[in-house]
Amino acid sequence: MKHLLHLRLSRLPATLQWPLLLAVSAAFAAVLELVRLPAALLLGPMIAGILFSLRGSPLRIARPLFFMAQTLIGCMIASSMDVSVIGNLANSWWLFLAVTLLVICASSVLGWLMAKWQVLPGTTAIWGSSPGGASVMMLLAESQGADMRLVAFMQYLRVLFVAVLASVIARLFLPEEAIGAQVIDWFPTLDAVDFTQTLLIAAIGGYAGLKLKLPAGQLLVPMIAGSLLNMSGAVTLQLPEWLLAISYAVLGWRIGLGFTPAIMRHATRALPKIILSIVLLITLCGLIAAVLVYAFDVDPLTAYMATSPGGLDSIAIISASSNVDIGFIMTFQTVRFLMVLAIGPPLAKYLAGRLPSH
């Protein structure tokens, strides 16, 4: 591992880099598994991807492969949903709506204040502080004259921070008996019909999401369709651990390999300010989670995961490997994601227009 830090990976052919990336990812994941850190299969490849990218590796995850991984993660979320999710949403819709608006407002106000105080140039802070919809915010930021590279860096660095912090917190909340007894069956016996149906839901749902041009449709459509079919009893979703591990690794590499040397050089001067903004946003979301805990008797870890301003897919992976109410969490995360896409862009434009001219 030490030699890798001094190796210019751009000099190696891709045919050697991919096996090396796989080996380093497996090593990191194994270490994280030893300390029983949830989502080690996501974090290990993510860390390896960052290391490789900063050492000049040109490796990138192809979009079709990334989309395929997201469809399977969508089905994984669906397999954890039960009928109680619909009841919770119907009975407490106002709570989901209110908390979601609080998170969006907190992030928007933080971004506006940072822009007003010129912590970051122009309107970059407003777009970069949005809690979700990274690709949409990056495109809108560029159209509004903000620095798209800094916005992208803020968005993906926050995903990294949230993923690592959420995994550490989840590990601290794991009961001791769960830590010692956790055994993964990597190659379970599969029902041919159920497994085939699961893959079809992933493939057809993901394709429909892309054709409809829905943001993150390749994850949301399989998740919604799979949840409805699973809760109705029409389908039993089956996803073996080995297949999920591949999906987690692809997502981890997608995030990690995005931290290119060019982006890092560009963001170096603003890095302390960006980290401060991320910490403040996570803290604000943590305070909102505390309200859920004390006012509505929600489990602390579930409340934290539900309000975390991270990526929908990465929070799903961490939740699936933790002792939490994944249905509650994913309902919150999905509602927020959809609301960010709906009101985030016009809200950011409005706030940008309220900035004093210099």
Side-chain angles (χ1 to χ4, degrees):
M1 196 74 68
K2 184 184 295 185
H3 296 296
L4 184 62
L5 296 174
H6 302 285
L7 178 64
R8 292 304 302 177
L9 291 167
S10 57
R11 299 173 184 173
L12 295 177
T15 52
L16 290 180
Q17 288 190 45
W18 280 115
L20 187 58
L21 176 62
L22 180 61
V24 174
S25 299
F28 277 122
V31 172
L32 296 176
E33 282 284 0
L34 283 176
V35 296
R36 299 294 182 186
L37 196 67
L41 297 176
L42 167 72
L43 297 178
M46 189 187 298
I47 295 168
I50 293 172
L51 179 60
F52 268 60
S53 187
L54 294 182
R55 296 311 301 167
S57 174
L59 297 181
R60 297 292 178 267
I61 295 297
R63 287 170 63 86
L65 186 60
F66 174 56
F67 291 159
M68 288 169 60
Q70 285 194 309
T71 66
L72 294 173
I73 292 170
C75 286
M76 181 271 291
I77 299 169
S79 68
S80 303
M81 297 290 196
D82 56 39
V83 180
S84 65
V85 172
I86 297 177
N88 289 336
L89 186 58
N91 296 329
S92 304
W93 62 267
W94 58 272
L95 178 61
F96 286 88
L97 186 62
V99 172
T100 299
L101 285 174
L102 273 175
V103 172
I104 293 174
C105 289
S107 62
S108 298
V109 170
L110 174 62
W112 184 79
L113 288 174
M114 291 180 66
K116 181 180 179 181
W117 296 332
Q118 300 183 50
V119 175
L120 292 171
T123 58
T124 298
I126 294 176
W127 303 102
S129 297
S130 173
S135 57
V136 176
M137 287 299 161
M138 285 160 51
L139 293 174
L140 285 169
E142 186 180 37
S143 68
Q144 295 298 309
D147 191 324
M148 188 175 70
R149 289 175 296 179
L150 273 180
V151 171
F153 183 75
M154 287 180 70
Q155 290 280 347
Y156 287 111
L157 186 62
R158 189 178 70 236
V159 170
L160 175 63
F161 267 57
V162 169
V164 173
L165 183 59
S167 293
V168 171
I169 292 175
R171 167 64 180 81
L172 295 176
F173 273 87
L174 275 176
E176 289 301 318
E177 58 271 19
I179 294 173
Q182 195 175 27
V183 178
I184 298 176
D185 184 2
W186 289 102
F187 300 97
T189 302
L190 297 173
D191 182 286
V193 174
D194 291 339
F195 184 51
T196 301
Q197 288 177 335
T198 302
L199 295 180
L200 284 173
I201 291 170
I204 296 172
Y207 182 76
L210 288 173
K211 281 297 179 182
L212 292 171
K213 296 184 178 179
L214 298 172
Q218 62 277 6
L219 184 147
L220 291 176
V221 174
M223 184 185 82
I224 295 170
S227 295
L228 294 174
L229 290 169
N230 186 52
M231 288 188 287
S232 69
V235 171
T236 300
L237 298 173
Q238 281 196 342
L239 287 165
E241 287 295 331
W242 60 266
L243 185 57
L244 287 175
I246 294 172
S247 302
Y248 298 168
V250 168
L251 178 61
W253 288 332
R254 171 79 175 190
I255 297 170
L257 292 171
F259 287 82
T260 63
I263 291 178
M264 290 298 295
R265 283 194 299 269
H266 184 69
T268 297
R269 289 184 180 179
L271 185 58
K273 299 172 183 177
I274 292 173
I275 291 175
L276 175 62
S277 72
I278 292 171
V279 171
L280 286 174
L281 181 56
I282 292 174
T283 302
L284 287 172
C285 291
L287 293 175
I288 296 171
V291 174
L292 284 177
V293 173
Y294 291 106
F296 301 98
D297 198 27
V298 178
D299 167 65
L301 185 55
T302 297
Y304 175 77
M305 295 284 193
T307 57
S308 286
L312 182 67
D313 37 20
S314 55
I315 289 295
I317 294 171
I318 298 165
S319 301
S321 56
S322 308
N323 186 26
V324 293
D325 184 345
I326 190 171
F328 184 88
I329 292 168
M330 296 319 301
T331 302
F332 257 113
Q333 290 281 340
T334 304
V335 168
R336 190 187 70 207
F337 178 78
L338 295 175
M339 287 187 66
V340 164
L341 292 178
I343 70 175
L347 179 60
K349 286 182 181 179
Y350 171 78
L351 291 173
R354 305 292 294 179
L355 288 174
S357 56
H358 295 283

